Amino acid sequence: MLNTPEYSMALVSVFLLLLAVHQSACLSIACLVSPGSLTNPCPEPPADCELVTGVCGCQVCASLEGEACGITNPGCGSGLTCVYPTCEETVQEYVQPDGTVLQAISPCLWNWRPGTCQTSPLNGFYPSG
C-alpha cells in the first residue's frame, strides 16, 4: 500500500502544502515584529521619495531602477516594472521500490528570488489593438 504511485503523489502533495504554509507563515511572523503590525504601528512615511505599500502594509519608498523588488521588497516606482529571474521547469524521476518510475514536473517552486526594477521597453505606451 505504501509503494503505490498514489501514495507517492499524496506524499509529494502534502510536502508542497507544508512548504507553502511555511512560506506564508514566515512572511506573517516577520510582519508581527515589523512596522505595520498591531503591536508596532507604521512610522511616519518618508517625504523624499515615491511611496508604495510595503508587504506589512506601511508606506515605504518605492524601489528605483536596478534595485530589488517583489517578495519582501517594496514595489517599483512609476515607469518601472519588476522583472523576476526566469526559471525552467524540470522533470524529476522517482524510482519506486517495485522498479517503476514516477515522473513529476518541478514547477520552479524554489525560485523565490526577488526581481529587479527595470524600465519598461515600451516606456508606458501600449500598442492599440
Side-chain angles (χ1 to χ4, degrees):
M1 181 169 192
L2 297 179
N3 296 333
T4 64
E6 292 83 10
Y7 177 78
S8 296
M9 288 304 294
L11 192 60
V12 169
S13 298
V14 168
F15 172 74
L16 293 176
L17 177 64
L18 290 173
L19 184 65
V21 167
H22 169 74
Q23 183 67 18
S24 64
C26 288
L27 292 176
S28 299
I29 291 169
C31 289
L32 287 176
V33 296
S34 297
S37 69
L38 294 175
T39 59
N40 192 8
C42 293
E44 191 68 29
D48 58 347
C49 62
E50 180 180 352
L51 297 176
V52 294
T53 303
V55 294
C56 294
C58 296
Q59 293 291 300
V60 296
C61 289
S63 294
L64 303 175
E65 187 168 9
E67 292 182 344
C69 56
I71 309 296
T72 58
N73 298 293
C76 298
S78 298
L80 300 174
T81 302
C82 191
V83 179
Y84 292 93
T86 57
C87 175
E88 295 182 21
E89 293 182 343
T90 58
V91 176
Q92 308 240 336
E93 292 187 348
Y94 301 96
V95 179
Q96 304 298 308
D98 65 356
T100 58
V101 177
L102 177 66
Q103 291 186 335
I105 296 175
S106 172
C108 303
L109 293 174
W110 313 114
N111 196 20
W112 288 325
R113 294 178 293 175
T116 305
C117 290
Q118 296 179 11
T119 304
S120 171
L122 299 175
N123 293 325
F125 293 102
Y126 297 94
S128 59

